[in-house]
Amino acid sequence: MAFATAGRSMKLYWGSGSAPCWRVMAVLEEKGLGKYDSKLISFDKNETKSEEIMKLNPRGEVPTFVIGEIVINESLATCLYLEDTYKSSGVQLIPSDCPKKAKVLQRTFEVPGFMKRGLEDLGYLYMEGDVNEEEMKEKKTSLKAELALWEGYLKAAGGDYLTGQDFTMADCIFFPVLAVMVRLGLALRPTFPELGKYYDTVSKRPSIMKTWPPHWKGTEGKKWLNDVC
């Protein structure tokens, strides 16, 4: 039975180590909605293609979030929905102040490009065994340039988080992607000291610690990105 909030049940289908799943879980914690029902889906067993998931998400992917009669199959849509629906709950992740809101939304919507360069263009190709060394060298150069942009954003923000002193939606969306890259061997220091400091700070945030991928604990990841920086 799914956990009920304001008369509506909540259930999340998720996979351990998935950055999109992790961001939804982080937002739920930040909004004080951490008592939702959940089901851990095994990627190794191809459970994303199970009948249960396919009925909810014809793409056969997670996260899939069910709230009452509403089904949301995109992580960013889920996060924005939760912030909009539960504005007065927990941490306000999108500021009301217009200039600050614009900056948070800008950084939030830049994250898919960051994820593409770091995970889709590199990590997932290694996972599939489709490795062309010359192509990988070009993609690693592209990722390093992307990391330099985010290093600059943090430096300009002048605080602990992407847009300043406040933890926002941008951090919920960005950090899981960065953490997966670190898990895959990305060394942030000494090349990107601001990103390294940011990683250390956000890693200790309660919402992040509580939702840390369970299969990461006590294990090491691949070293696919260890020569990017």
Side-chain angles (χ1 to χ4, degrees):
M1 187 68 174
F3 174 73
T5 300
R8 291 183 293 178
S9 61
M10 288 185 180
K11 185 168 184 176
L12 177 68
Y13 296 84
W14 62 286
S16 180
S18 159
C21 293
W22 194 355
R23 64 178 56 146
V24 173
M25 298 168 81
V27 168
L28 284 162
E29 292 297 329
E30 292 289 340
K31 299 307 293 181
L33 303 170
K35 293 183 179 179
Y36 58 91
D37 192 16
S38 73
K39 184 169 183 176
L40 176 60
I41 299 300
S42 170
F43 296 119
D44 291 340
K45 297 178 182 178
N46 203 32
E47 289 180 352
T48 56
K49 307 305 180 185
S50 67
E51 183 178 353
E52 183 177 12
I53 295 296
M54 294 299 291
K55 281 183 178 179
L56 296 168
N57 185 352
R59 294 185 184 274
E61 299 172 347
V62 289
T64 283
F65 182 66
V66 182
I67 177 167
E69 300 301 317
I70 299 169
V71 178
I72 311 176
N73 290 317
E74 286 294 328
S75 63
L76 188 52
T78 301
C79 293
L80 294 175
Y81 174 86
L82 288 168
E83 174 64 15
D84 186 62
T85 304
Y86 299 98
K87 289 179 182 177
S88 60
S89 298
V91 175
Q92 184 178 8
L93 295 172
I94 299 179
S96 300
D97 175 79
C98 288
K100 291 180 180 178
K101 178 190 288 187
K103 182 61 66 66
V104 169
L105 291 175
Q106 171 67 35
R107 296 290 174 258
T108 296
F109 282 92
E110 281 186 78
V111 175
F114 176 59
M115 182 170 175
K116 181 180 187 304
R117 288 176 180 84
L119 298 183
E120 295 170 18
D121 286 356
L122 280 167
Y124 295 161
L125 291 180
Y126 275 115
M127 192 181 301
E128 294 167 3
D130 184 14
V131 179
N132 177 297
E133 291 302 329
E134 192 60 35
E135 181 184 10
M136 287 298 179
K137 185 177 179 180
E138 293 178 6
K139 291 183 181 300
K140 286 176 180 178
T141 299
S142 178
L143 173 57
K144 190 171 181 179
E146 181 72 18
L147 287 162
L149 278 176
W150 293 92
E151 177 79 1
Y153 292 159
L154 281 165
K155 193 174 294 184
D160 291 333
Y161 303 111
L162 281 176
T163 59
Q165 293 295 343
D166 297 324
F167 184 86
T168 70
M169 181 65 74
D171 300 294
C172 286
I173 304 302
F174 177 78
F175 178 80
V177 180
L178 181 67
V180 173
M181 292 185 196
V182 171
R183 170 78 176 179
L184 293 178
L186 180 67
L188 298 173
R189 294 184 176 94
T191 308
F192 301 115
E194 294 295 327
L195 279 167
K197 184 172 65 173
Y198 173 83
Y199 178 85
D200 292 345
T201 298
V202 181
S203 293
K204 297 178 177 67
R205 192 168 179 89
S207 65
I208 297 299
M209 293 176 67
K210 186 173 180 180
T211 56
W212 200 263
H215 83 277
W216 287 10
K217 297 172 183 176
T219 65
E220 291 188 5
K222 304 292 185 181
K223 301 302 179 185
W224 294 329
L225 305 182
N226 63 352
D227 58 349
V228 169
C229 300

